Amino acid sequence: MVKRLIRNCLALACLCVSHWCLAEATLNIEGLSGEVQDNVDVYLSAIPEEDYSTSLRFQSQIEDDITQALRAMGYYHPILSFTVDKEEQELNVTVELGEPITIKELDIEVTGEAKDDPAFKALLDKSPLKVGARLNHGQYDALKSDIRNLALKHGYFEGDFSMARLEVAPDLNQAFVRLHYSSGFRYHFGPIKISGSQIEEDRVRSVIPFEQGDPYLASDVGQLNQNLSSTDWFSTVYVEPDLSQVGQGNHELPMTIQLAPQSKHQIETGIGVSTDVGVRGKLAWKRPWLNAQGHSFDSSFELSKPEQQVVVGYKIPLEDVLKEFYRIQYGMKYLDNNDTISFESSLGLERHWELDSGWHRTVFIRLLNEDFKQGIQDDRFTMLLPGISYSKTRSRGGAMPMWGDKQSITLEYGDEALLSQARVLRVQGHSAWIRSLGRNHRGLFRVNGSANFTESVFNLPPSLRFFAGGDNNLRGYKYESISPKDSKGKLTGAKYMVTSSLEYQYRVYGNWWLATFVDYGDAWNETPQWKTGTGFGVRWASPVGPVRLDLGFALDAEEGQDQYQIHFGLGPEL
């Protein structure tokens, strides 16, 4: 009895050890590559690793899974060979793919109104299903799905396949694809009903990107949702076609827009830090709609050690409320930084256009009054500056885009005959580019050029002069520390400024990047003395934008100036 019990225990122990060894088996597959190997990996990924073994049962399961995966890729005659290394607990599989199934006949037909729809022609043209190509079941299923989805997006709500068949003759290594789709009639946008809006209906209708009778497009419905949300007038936006009309004989779909007013008051607070201005606090109060015409009011208060600023604005939308509007703005700012002490107030009137080309055009006039002490100069100036600006921004990839660019140019003019202290033509240009290679390599290039064409820089207040250096300018140099100096060695500000930056970033893990950079530029009156800053840093792609920490070295620092600066900042790169 005791001996039998011992034998049973030993047998149970052997079974446990055997099971543990089988669980540690390694599977090696040879003879596959590219998308074929990827598809096999997908099929095998459903098998838990603890089930791996060298047993005949597991070999049979592996053979079935690999065969199914290869058939899906057009290989119906694979030959699989198995070898087992018991010492290493390895199962080795060698796969010979054999001759693939190729498409002998491609019978794809679209009838109905979709027959002449360019979107369907483009879809079929780009399909990888071609006569002579290797059969891929996934591509066949994808084309069927794409045809259905495109039909729904383009308003062919009664469409269906009259034939959808994939025929395979394995002995001939041939496949026959037959897809016949009858789209029926295309539906059009019908009457539009708006409810729940506190804004005049004609203002709301101005953002609708289609008219009654236009062919239905799901993208137009999505654009309407986005347009209504972009007005900031509504807390809830709901746009829906009345699909109950499908099949009723009327090929117009009534559209329903249900809206709910945005809250009348919005308050935002924030705190940030950068090495340029230190800790910065912000309070913003906004009224997104004031009346039925959609006028709005906004204000912001920003506080930091060198700068305190308040800005209030009033926006008046025009007939095309998203693309054209007036803005009246008043601001006050106190600055105490380096050799500048200034208190300025400004009143501006702006007319804005969003052009079809993507450029934003602004024509403006601003009245600037500034009481200041700049170096040894102590004065008070008034300037009336009409001007025009153009800007355009493109980006893809969220708060830290992997592709994007921004261009802007601003022209302003002041004249003694037009209430200005001096005659001046101001030109400011900015260009920034972000490009990437793969997912881990990212490059950033910026160049800024500014000029005051005037007799003397001392005829301008400090806010119109140029200073270089800082987080977003010439890193390695103190914030706004680069400019010509007066007879006592105090900064005066410059008539001209050009700065550029070239930066390379490499993703080390997740949202963390390493960066290295070179900055080059100067601010001058007569002749530039170009300065270079270089260094390295860390980037974190936070949900609200990139957080930057840099160590910059000033290669052309003057005697007595710091040779390096630590720069920290948060905000968009474009």
Side-chain angles (χ1 to χ4, degrees), residues 221-250:
V221 177
Q223 186 64 53
L224 174 55
N225 264 293
Q226 181 178 333
N227 290 351
L228 289 168
S229 298
S230 297
T231 63
D232 206 21
W233 292 333
F234 310 109
S235 61
T236 302
V237 174
Y238 184 72
V239 180
E240 183 184 37
D242 185 0
L243 297 179
S244 66
Q245 300 300 311
V246 173
Q248 302 301 314
N250 180 9

Side-chain angles (χ1 to χ4, degrees), residues 224-517:
L224 174 55
N225 264 293
Q226 181 178 333
N227 290 351
L228 289 168
S229 298
S230 297
T231 63
D232 206 21
W233 292 333
F234 310 109
S235 61
T236 302
V237 174
Y238 184 72
V239 180
E240 183 184 37
D242 185 0
L243 297 179
S244 66
Q245 300 300 311
V246 173
Q248 302 301 314
N250 180 9
H251 295 121
E252 281 197 349
L253 286 180
M255 300 295 296
T256 299
I257 301 176
Q258 297 179 7
L259 305 168
Q262 184 66 270
S263 59
K264 285 191 174 183
H265 300 274
Q266 295 178 347
I267 296 178
E268 295 180 3
T269 59
I271 187 169
V273 62
S274 71
T275 46
D276 280 353
V277 298
V279 178
R280 179 195 297 270
K282 182 176 181 179
L283 172 66
W285 170 44
K286 183 178 181 179
R287 296 195 63 182
W289 59 277
L290 293 168
N291 50 39
Q293 290 75 44
H295 295 193
S296 61
F297 169 83
D298 62 89
S299 63
S300 65
F301 308 84
E302 295 188 21
L303 300 175
S304 65
K305 183 176 180 181
E307 296 180 9
Q308 298 88 50
Q309 179 174 247
V310 56
V311 177
V312 296
Y314 191 91
K315 181 180 176 181
I316 306 172
L318 300 177
E319 184 175 354
D320 190 341
V321 299
L322 288 179
K323 294 186 175 182
E324 299 185 23
F325 58 91
Y326 283 105
R327 178 176 171 82
I328 303 170
Q329 180 172 297
Y330 177 75
M332 294 186 296
K333 179 179 177 181
Y334 178 78
L335 173 66
D336 185 354
N337 180 59
N338 293 334
D339 301 323
T340 306
I341 299 177
S342 167
F343 178 78
E344 63 176 278
S345 61
S346 63
L347 176 65
L349 174 62
E350 304 167 350
R351 171 67 158 91
H352 294 257
W353 294 263
E354 289 286 349
L355 306 180
D356 293 337
S357 60
W359 286 89
H360 185 113
R361 179 176 65 198
T362 306
V363 174
F364 61 89
I365 184 169
R366 62 172 176 145
L367 179 65
L368 172 66
N369 185 278
E370 189 165 352
D371 193 347
F372 65 91
K373 183 176 183 181
Q374 182 66 55
I376 62 174
Q377 185 182 8
D378 191 343
D379 218 327
R380 180 173 183 170
F381 284 172
T382 298
M383 304 288 289
L384 183 66
L385 299 167
I388 186 171
S389 71
Y390 285 86
S391 65
K392 183 178 183 179
T393 302
R394 305 181 300 171
S395 68
R396 297 196 295 262
M400 191 170 177
M402 299 297 289
W403 183 96
D405 50 65
K406 181 177 182 178
Q407 324 298 329
S408 67
I409 185 169
T410 300
L411 302 175
E412 289 182 287
Y413 180 73
D415 198 292
E416 294 168 316
L418 298 174
L419 304 180
S420 288
Q421 197 79 15
R423 179 180 298 176
V424 62
L425 172 63
R426 289 172 49 79
V427 181
Q428 298 180 81
H430 170 81
S431 181
W433 300 78
I434 294 174
R435 294 294 186 267
S436 59
L437 181 62
R439 296 184 63 255
N440 299 324
H441 304 273
R442 193 169 180 267
L444 171 64
F445 173 72
R446 282 193 300 258
V447 60
N448 298 281
S450 304
N452 284 318
F453 297 101
T454 188
E455 183 177 348
S456 171
V457 72
F458 296 105
N459 293 335
L460 302 176
S463 63
L464 301 184
R465 306 178 193 181
F466 303 118
F467 301 83
D471 295 349
N472 297 308
N473 202 296
L474 278 174
R475 284 166 288 186
Y477 300 85
K478 189 178 177 182
Y479 176 53
E480 294 192 346
S481 63
I482 299 173
S483 93
K485 297 181 179 180
D486 58 27
S487 58
K488 292 190 176 181
K490 303 292 186 180
L491 301 176
T492 65
K495 293 168 66 174
Y496 312 105
M497 182 175 70
V498 172
T499 61
S500 61
S501 179
L502 182 62
E503 182 172 311
Y504 166 73
Q505 301 170 1
Y506 176 74
R507 187 198 303 267
V508 291
Y509 178 77
N511 291 325
W512 291 92
W513 300 69
L514 290 179
T516 182
F517 59 86

Side-chain angles (χ1 to χ4, degrees), residues 31-152:
L32 302 178
S33 62
E35 62 178 3
V36 177
Q37 180 175 344
D38 293 340
N39 201 53
V40 169
D41 290 342
V42 170
Y43 272 71
L44 297 181
S45 65
I47 304 176
E49 289 188 8
E50 57 267 22
D51 291 348
Y52 280 23
S53 74
T54 59
S55 68
L56 292 178
R57 180 179 180 181
F58 183 70
Q59 291 180 33
S60 177
Q61 181 181 3
I62 291 295
E63 184 173 10
D64 289 344
D65 286 349
I66 292 178
T67 299
Q68 291 183 42
L70 294 179
R71 283 195 171 194
M73 302 301 292
Y75 293 98
Y76 275 56
H77 311 292
I79 299 175
L80 279 66
S81 303
F82 292 86
T83 60
V84 176
D85 186 336
K86 293 186 176 180
E87 290 185 2
E88 299 294 333
Q89 282 295 304
E90 289 184 350
L91 176 62
N92 301 306
V93 185
T94 302
V95 181
E96 295 181 23
L97 293 175
E99 290 295 320
I101 304 294
T102 58
I103 298 176
K104 175 66 175 179
E105 183 178 342
L106 196 62
D107 180 17
I108 302 178
E109 184 179 87
V110 176
T111 58
E113 289 191 3
K115 180 180 180 180
D116 300 319
D117 192 326
F120 279 84
K121 184 178 184 305
L123 174 63
L124 299 180
D125 287 344
K126 74 175 184 180
S127 170
L129 294 177
K130 307 291 182 186
V131 172
R134 173 170 52 86
L135 174 64
N136 185 314
H137 288 244
Q139 293 172 354
Y140 168 79
D141 292 334
L143 181 57
K144 280 180 58 180
S145 178
D146 288 345
I147 290 175
R148 288 186 185 277
N149 291 337
L150 182 61
L152 293 175

